[in-house]
Amino acid sequence: MQNKGLVKLFAILFGLVSLYQLSFTFTANQIENEAQEIAITKISESEENYRALRSQEEANYLQEKGTDTVYNIGIAKFTYNEVKQKAMNLGLDLKGGINVILQVSVKDILKGLANNTTDPVFNKALEDASELQKNSQSTYLEDFFSAFDAIKGDTKLASPDIFYTRELDGEIDGSMTDNDVKSIIETKIDESIVSAFEVLRKRIDEFGVTSPNIQRLGNSGRILVELPGVKDVERAKSLLQSTAQLEFWDAYKGEQFYQFINQANEVLKDIVKSEDDVEIEPQDEENAQSDQIDDLLGDAETDSTAVEENNPLGKLIRGFGYQGGPIIGTFEIKDKETVLDYLNRPEVRALLPAEQRYAKFVFGKPEKDSEVVDLYALIGNRENVPQLSGAVVTDARNQFGPTGKSEVSMQMNAKGAKIWEEMTGKAYTQGSQIAIVLDNVVYSAPGVTTGPIAGGNSSISGNFSLNEAIDLANVLRAGKLPASADIIQSEVVGPSLGKEAIESGTMSFLIALVLVLLWMIFYYGKAGGFADLAMLLNLLLIFGILSGLGAVLTLPGIAGIVLTIGMSVDANVLIFERIREELAKGKGQLEAIRDGFSNALSSILDANVTTGLTALILFIFGTGPIKGFATTLLIGIATSLFTAIFITRLLIDWYANRGGKLEFSTGITKNLFRNINIEFLKKRKVAYIISGALILLSLGSLITNGLNQGVDFVGGRTYQVRFAQDISASEITDLLSQPEVFGSADAKTFGDANQLKITTKYKVNESGAEIDEEIRNSLYQALVPHLEGITYEQFIDLNDENKQVGLLESYKVTPTIADDIKQASFWAILGSLIVVFLYILIRFKKWQYSLGAVAAVFHDVLIVLGVFSLTYKFMPFNMEVNQAFIAAILTVIGYSLNDTVVVFDRIREFFNEHTSWKFDKVVNTSLSSTLSRTLNTSLTTLVVLLAIFIFGGDSIRGFMFALIVGVIVGTYSSLFIATPIMYDTVNKLEEKKKKD
């Protein structure tokens, strides 16, 4: 080998750089462990909410350390922030946290641009676009334009009732065509989404999460947010979705609406169905009417069990506000929607006097652990816009008020300060209140006792916890989202699950590594030992590059590394088998080594390029952990080539040149697979029959039995729940499928018998934090008899690293994004087949080679799908077809092609060397000569996959099973499908030429 000095230099430099990069990870881990120990020392478990307090203490310690020098290598010093920036990041499945895709509501933005118009054509187009989105691959804006064009008639987008508004005057005028307006609206929508992206980025920065990832996904209005390691998941979700619509409204006095409430109750008696009423004790009619009036007017103590049977609104009141205050009445939290529905019915609002006809009914923020909430009436207007909005806030900070409670201080701009002075002056004069409303909830409604407030400085109080005050200040400072942002896909992983994943991932990694290292020494003797040294350097380089690139290490990523170990053996096996062939020809050791490396190079490159191409497509189309798998696979292929071709060669040359003797085998393996001469082509018809039967069986099962499609492809919500005792999956399925729970649900044992994966499509088309909360609460209520008495808060708590019972992980995908994932998966598989077909065509110059390879791949994919279809109902592990499964299919494609290309490469070599041989002899000899390599690589890879399958986490067991089946079928197809099909098509072409 030439340039050995240069190879040594690169190897040493790459190794040192990798160690340098990994040193930041070790340093960061040490400091974070210190933070955990300090938090545990300072805050005992006896304190209320100790986990959240410890989490805050850790964050405070790390924030203090942020600018301190924590790592000194002599020539450079690094602060903790710099160290953390360079450290390897752990993904969601290893560290816990939250990964969401937010859909910024383009519908809301369009409404805002049109100034909330009541134009019927515009609003009908919005509704139609929402319907189209359920089965559409277009953006909401594209569907809106299509829907508008279909119904517009003579209506124009540049109409004064739509987009020709005061705000857009100068950009849009009434003479513009719809196409002109569309381009302007597209720009405005894009600006709004960019604004949403920036607002979210600022909020996340304020939240203090290490290694966050936020990306805009195309032009769809979707934003990906990954927050690995975040402890308070509920707080993070709230922060991401909050639109932070801060508003200031003048409030009515509560007693002004007592007569209206009484009149509303009388009207509602005639229109509310009697079955909605509660059972009460009998009483005479006269007393009942008297009690009802007393209840409504607050003249008597309210008794919820002693109200008239037909008393729809009165029976819901639990109390009234104080005289002169802004509260109309108090209701139970569960009745909020019912009360607002009653009060906003046209028949009821018609009862309001003219001066109150625009009154806005809004509930307040309930006290902690309270079951009741106050109702306010705000002074509204025709446009339904507040007297002052949060847009005037220029700065906000959390602080402690005079009573020691958390508050948020605000500073307004000049315009806001002027309006605020007028509002507070009016409230002072009239003795009224100003309601501070955040996201349509009254946080407080203080009166003004010291006269008008000048200068724009004020504060918001409202029974905030410390975290609530911090988050509100952060949101106000960062700005409000231009529209609501709903979570359309989410994955929430508790830290306890992440801790278990690290342990199982590490175990599978070490076992697989030891098995491969021992196998190489067992099979190839000293040469195998040199290959092992190269492989260890390979691992160092993989981790070093991952750290240097700032890539995120995930559980599938670990699987990718472990799989790389198994597949990197292939390059060494190819080399060593060729050296053994050269030695068998009688060549000297040095010459055999030189020729063996040279002859194996073509096969190594072709095999790795085809695998690399499929990994690249997986990287392009994959998301989250699957992208992590593709990243490690791509890096592993590159480092494996370097270490096998150069480092192994360097070590072997060094030993051989010193006079060392290398047999490239041991006493047991010396004659293994030697002098084999199997006539594979004679068995091809039998193979065709077997494969045809398997394909027919697979297709039959796919048609009749189908696949167990995960929520990735069909939409829905999945929850991983662990119980204290073993649990029956069928019993839980029946329980959750009751009409009063979800109507339809599916529970499957996931890993141990006390752990279930629960999937439901209940309210799958509805998004929002309230819906998510409602479904989780329904899940808890149904499961509570099996949860050993834990509370709802304990059930959903994902802060505990040692959590053993309750919700461990949740995953949500809406149908719209599920369709997108399905489409992306289809293109990923099709794209990989096309790319590989073209690559093999270019390399081997004959389309028959490409046809044979792609036919074998189709064969392998169909059989893997068939196995999953046939067995998913009774296998003791999860066999969902999801994004991870698609990653497995693409990996199978790469592996199958790897095998096939090695055989094709040998056929091409023998065809050029032995021109006198018949083509069938060339093919049979090529298959026989590569059999040792084929079986060796396949067995080694299978050993690795089995180690991950047995010792890896439950979440990747189905993924590993697909790979195991794929490797077995891929090895078979390279011998009995790809090559025979290539041979038959070449022969038919030759016969046709002879006839012509």
Side-chain angles (χ1 to χ4, degrees):
M1 182 175 70
Q2 296 177 342
N3 300 319
K4 289 183 181 179
L6 192 62
V7 172
K8 287 179 185 177
L9 177 64
F10 273 117
I12 292 168
L13 286 176
F14 287 159
L16 290 174
V17 168
S18 295
L19 287 172
Y20 167 76
Q21 290 292 346
L22 289 172
S23 67
F24 291 103
T25 302
F26 298 137
T27 305
N29 287 342
Q30 284 179 341
I31 295 167
E32 286 163 12
N33 288 337
E34 283 175 18
Q36 284 184 348
E37 289 170 8
I38 289 169
I40 291 170
T41 304
K42 283 189 175 182
I43 298 162
S44 70
E45 292 187 10
S46 60
E47 293 192 38
E48 185 181 355
N49 202 20
Y50 73 93
R51 291 195 189 98
L53 293 173
R54 282 180 179 176
S55 178
Q56 188 64 46
E57 187 64 38
E58 283 179 45
N60 292 340
Y61 178 83
L62 294 175
Q63 191 172 5
E64 289 172 9
K65 279 280 187 183
T67 53
D68 292 351
T69 299
V70 296
Y71 188 38
N72 186 349
I73 60 172
I75 58 173
K77 296 178 181 179
F78 301 93
T79 65
Y80 170 72
N81 286 340
E82 291 169 333
V83 166
K84 190 63 187 171
Q85 188 84 19
K86 293 176 181 291
M88 185 183 296
N89 302 316
L90 294 180
L92 208 66
D93 48 5
L94 294 177
K95 198 174 183 180
I98 181 171
N99 174 339
V100 302
I101 293 179
L102 292 158
Q103 175 71 67
V104 178
S105 176
V106 177
K107 183 177 182 179
D108 286 356
I109 299 173
L110 286 169
K111 283 182 177 179
L113 290 172
N115 206 15
N116 293 308
T117 181
T118 57
D119 183 88
V121 175
F122 175 83
N123 286 296
K124 180 68 167 62
L126 289 177
E127 291 174 14
D128 291 349
S130 297
E131 282 299 312
L132 287 171
Q133 277 286 287
K134 293 178 181 178
N135 299 301
S136 172
Q137 298 303 317
S138 303
T139 65
Y140 183 91
L141 185 61
E142 290 168 341
D143 282 339
F144 166 74
F145 287 149
S146 298
F148 183 84
D149 289 341
I151 63 171
K152 66 181 181 180
D154 296 329
T155 306
K156 293 174 61 181
L157 289 173
S159 162
D161 291 331
I162 303 182
F163 291 128
Y164 185 26
T165 62
R166 183 183 300 172
E167 289 77 8
L168 292 175
D169 189 23
E171 295 182 76
I172 293 176
D173 62 60
S175 63
M176 283 185 171
T177 66
D178 281 356
N179 286 335
D180 293 335
V181 175
K182 284 177 183 178
S183 63
I184 294 169
I185 297 302
E186 283 172 0
T187 302
K188 288 293 180 184
I189 295 291
D190 189 64
E191 288 172 356
S192 296
I193 293 168
V194 169
S195 172
F197 179 86
E198 289 302 315
V199 168
L200 287 169
R201 187 178 57 78
K202 288 176 184 176
R203 289 186 188 180
I204 290 165
D205 289 343
E206 296 279 1
F207 195 62
V209 179
T210 56
S211 310
N213 175 32
I214 176 169
Q215 300 174 28
R216 185 178 169 189
L217 303 178
N219 298 315
S220 61
R222 292 172 184 165
I223 296 172
L224 169 69
V225 179
E226 295 176 323
L227 304 177
V230 65
K231 296 291 179 66
D232 195 339
V233 170
E234 296 309 309
R235 182 180 166 201
K237 287 171 74 173
S238 174
L239 185 76
L240 291 174
Q241 292 189 99
S242 173
T243 54
Q245 299 279 8
L246 179 65
E247 299 169 342
F248 302 90
W249 297 79
D250 291 322
Y252 288 108
K253 293 180 181 179
E255 61 263 26
Q256 293 178 261
F257 286 82
Y258 289 164
Q259 184 177 354
F260 164 72
I261 293 292
N262 186 33
Q263 292 172 343
N265 193 61
E266 292 301 316
V267 169
L268 287 165
K269 286 180 182 180
D270 298 328
I271 57 178
V272 176
K273 295 179 180 179
S274 60
E275 61 258 25
D276 293 333
D277 300 333
V278 296
E279 294 291 333
I280 57 166
E281 295 178 9
Q283 52 183 311
D284 63 79
E285 186 178 340
E286 186 179 340
N287 287 340
Q289 289 178 346
S290 175
D291 287 346
Q292 176 194 338
I293 294 168
D294 287 343
D295 283 343
L296 289 174
L297 298 179
D299 295 328
E301 214 174 277
T302 302
D303 183 354
S304 62
T305 64
V307 290
E308 185 191 350
E309 190 170 316
N310 189 15
N311 190 19
L313 188 57
K315 72 183 181 185
L316 302 179
I317 297 175
R318 295 293 174 263
F320 289 87
Y322 58 90
Q323 190 70 25
I327 298 169
I328 299 173
T330 302
F331 299 84
E332 290 188 20
I333 294 173
K334 67 180 178 62
D335 294 327
K336 280 170 53 178
E337 297 302 321
T338 304
V339 172
L340 289 178
D341 174 60
Y342 286 164
L343 296 180
N344 287 317
R345 292 191 182 198
E347 306 95 319
V348 172
R349 290 198 67 92
L351 301 170
L352 289 165
E355 65 273 14
Q356 295 177 351
R357 62 180 169 172
Y358 296 120
K360 182 181 174 73
F361 297 107
V362 181
F363 278 100
K365 180 175 180 288
E367 298 272 354
K368 184 180 180 182
D369 300 326
S370 174
E371 294 182 357
V372 296
V373 62
D374 298 325
L375 177 69
Y376 297 79
L378 311 182
I379 301 176
N381 48 59
R382 183 192 297 272
E383 293 79 22
N384 195 34
V385 294
Q387 286 86 337
L388 189 63
S389 78
V392 302
V393 176
T394 57
D395 193 21
R397 292 282 183 270
N398 62 293
Q399 64 179 24
F400 293 101
T403 61
K405 291 187 175 181
S406 294
E407 295 180 352
V408 177
S409 66
M410 298 179 300
Q411 175 63 52
M412 299 179 185
N413 59 24
K415 179 183 177 183
K418 183 180 178 182
I419 299 172
W420 184 244
E421 187 173 358
E422 292 172 0
M423 289 180 70
T424 53
K426 181 181 176 183
Y428 173 71
T429 303
Q430 297 180 350
S432 59
Q433 287 80 21
I434 297 173
I436 300 171
V437 182
L438 181 68
D439 290 340
N440 214 35
V441 173
V442 176
Y443 270 65
S444 61
V448 181
T449 56
T450 57
I453 299 173
N457 281 314
S458 57
S459 62
I460 307 174
S461 60
N463 295 312
F464 295 113
S465 68
L466 176 60
N467 279 343
E468 285 174 332
I470 291 170
D471 289 347
L472 177 56
N474 288 344
V475 166
L476 294 177
R477 193 161 56 250
K480 71 182 182 68
L481 289 174
S484 62
D486 290 329
I487 294 176
I488 57 173
Q489 179 178 337
S490 70
E491 182 178 10
V492 181
V493 181
S496 61
L497 213 56
K499 186 178 177 183
E500 292 169 13
I502 290 175
E503 291 171 357
S504 60
T506 304
M507 176 68 76
S508 66
F509 177 81
L510 292 175
I511 290 172
L513 179 61
V514 169
L515 288 172
V516 171
L517 295 177
L518 290 175
W519 175 260
M520 289 301 287
I521 294 173
F522 165 77
Y523 201 91
Y524 293 109
K526 290 178 184 176
F530 291 132
D532 288 347
L533 291 174
M535 199 180 303
L536 292 173
L537 175 62
N538 183 18
L539 288 176
L540 176 63
L541 294 178
I542 290 173
F543 283 110
I545 292 170
L546 283 172
S547 182
L549 291 175
V552 178
L553 185 64
T554 62
L555 194 57
I558 290 177
I561 293 171
V562 180
L563 184 60
T564 299
I565 295 171
M567 295 180 70
S568 69
V569 171
D570 184 48
N572 284 306
V573 169
L574 278 167
I575 291 166
F576 292 170
E577 290 299 318
R578 292 309 293 257
I579 293 173
R580 289 173 70 177
E581 287 178 19
E582 300 304 321
L583 287 171
K585 292 177 183 177
K587 292 183 180 179
Q589 181 172 271
L590 294 177
E591 186 184 3
I593 289 170
R594 185 186 66 244
D595 291 346
F597 271 94
S598 176
N599 293 335
L601 185 60
S602 175
S603 295
I604 292 170
L605 290 174
D606 284 336
N608 281 276
V609 167
T610 49
T611 307
L613 286 171
T614 55
L616 183 62
I617 289 167
L618 187 58
F619 179 82
I620 293 168
F621 287 96
T623 57
I626 305 309
K627 195 180 283 286
F629 172 75
T631 302
T632 54
L633 199 56
L634 283 167
I635 293 170
I637 287 168
T639 56
S640 296
L641 282 171
F642 173 73
T643 53
I645 295 171
F646 296 110
I647 304 304
T648 305
R649 176 74 182 272
L650 196 67
L651 292 169
I652 285 176
D653 280 355
W654 167 79
Y655 187 78
N657 288 331
R658 288 176 67 249
K661 187 166 179 60
L662 291 170
E663 297 287 347
F664 294 92
S665 62
T666 61
I668 299 172
T669 62
K670 188 171 184 178
N671 294 313
L672 212 56
F673 303 115
R674 297 288 94 191
N675 302 316
I676 292 174
N677 188 19
I678 301 172
E679 293 188 340
F680 287 93
L681 292 177
K682 285 188 176 179
K683 299 172 175 55
R684 70 185 188 279
K685 290 182 180 178
V686 175
Y688 288 163
I689 292 169
I690 293 171
S691 293
L694 290 173
I695 288 171
L696 284 174
L697 183 62
S698 296
L699 288 172
S701 181
L702 288 168
I703 293 167
T704 58
N705 213 21
L707 289 164
N708 180 26
Q709 293 189 66
V711 293
D712 281 356
F713 290 159
V714 295
R717 291 175 173 86
T718 293
Y719 302 93
Q720 187 173 332
V721 181
R722 186 177 291 164
F723 301 83
Q725 307 293 333
D726 291 353
I727 195 82
S728 166
S730 58
E731 180 186 340
I732 298 300
T733 296
D734 293 340
L735 177 67
L736 298 177
S737 297
Q738 296 296 319
E740 62 272 19
V741 188
F742 296 143
S744 174
D746 184 33
K748 291 182 179 176
T749 302
F750 191 73
D752 296 332
N754 68 331
Q755 194 165 265
L756 295 180
K757 195 165 194 176
I758 297 166
T759 304
T760 179
K761 287 188 180 182
Y762 180 67
K763 293 192 175 181
V764 67
N765 286 309
E766 298 182 41
S767 298
E770 300 83 6
I771 299 297
D772 292 342
E773 179 68 14
E774 175 198 331
I775 293 172
R776 282 193 312 180
N777 193 51
S778 297
L779 179 68
Y780 169 75
Q781 295 298 338
L783 298 180
V784 75
H786 306 279
L787 293 171
E788 298 289 319
I790 66 171
T791 64
Y792 176 67
E793 287 70 26
Q794 291 171 324
F795 175 73
I796 65 170
D797 178 25
L798 291 173
N799 294 335
D800 186 1
E801 290 188 1
N802 300 306
K803 185 174 183 178
Q804 294 300 315
V805 176
L807 183 65
L808 300 179
E809 180 180 13
S810 66
Y811 187 49
K812 177 180 83 171
V813 180
T814 59
T816 301
I817 202 164
D819 288 341
D820 293 348
I821 292 169
K822 196 182 293 186
Q823 186 183 53
S825 300
F826 170 78
W827 286 113
I829 293 174
L830 184 62
S832 67
L833 292 174
I834 292 171
V835 168
V836 168
F837 183 93
L838 293 174
Y839 177 78
I840 295 175
L841 183 63
I842 292 166
R843 285 293 288 134
F844 294 94
K845 305 293 191 296
K846 288 186 177 182
W847 61 266
Q848 291 91 337
Y849 286 92
S850 294
L851 178 65
V854 172
V857 165
F858 269 113
H859 166 275
D860 299 344
V861 170
L862 277 174
I863 290 178
V864 172
L865 287 170
V867 168
F868 266 64
S869 176
L870 286 163
T871 62
Y872 76 83
K873 290 183 178 177
F874 58 82
M875 279 293 189
F877 50 86
N878 182 47
M879 293 183 69
E880 283 185 355
V881 174
N882 50 24
Q883 289 188 83
F885 178 80
I886 298 301
I889 290 292
L890 285 167
T891 308
V892 167
I893 289 172
Y895 186 86
S896 177
L897 290 166
N898 187 318
D899 262 0
T900 302
V901 166
V902 169
V903 175
F904 285 177
D905 197 79
R906 185 59 65 91
I907 291 171
R908 180 177 56 183
E909 180 186 334
F910 280 6
F911 188 79
N912 293 329
E913 277 185 16
H914 306 285
T915 54
S916 61
W917 286 8
K918 288 185 178 181
F919 192 45
D920 60 348
K921 183 178 179 181
V922 170
V923 172
N924 283 327
T925 307
S926 300
L927 287 167
S928 297
S929 65
T930 56
L931 187 61
S932 176
R933 172 264 160 201
T934 300
L935 295 179
N936 207 336
T937 299
S938 298
L939 288 172
T940 309
T941 307
L942 276 174
V943 165
V944 171
L945 294 176
L946 283 168
I948 311 174
F949 178 78
I950 295 168
F951 299 102
D954 295 323
S955 60
I956 60 169
R957 199 152 280 150
F959 174 61
M960 285 295 111
F961 181 73
L963 289 179
I964 289 168
V965 174
V967 167
I968 294 169
V969 177
T971 302
Y972 161 82
S973 70
S974 66
L975 295 172
F976 294 103
I977 301 299
T979 309
I981 285 178
M982 179 275 295
Y983 171 80
D984 283 338
T985 51
V986 168
N987 266 3
K988 284 182 180 178
L989 190 64
E990 291 297 326
E991 288 173 9
K992 189 178 178 183
K993 284 181 180 178
K994 286 176 183 178
K995 287 178 182 178
D996 294 341

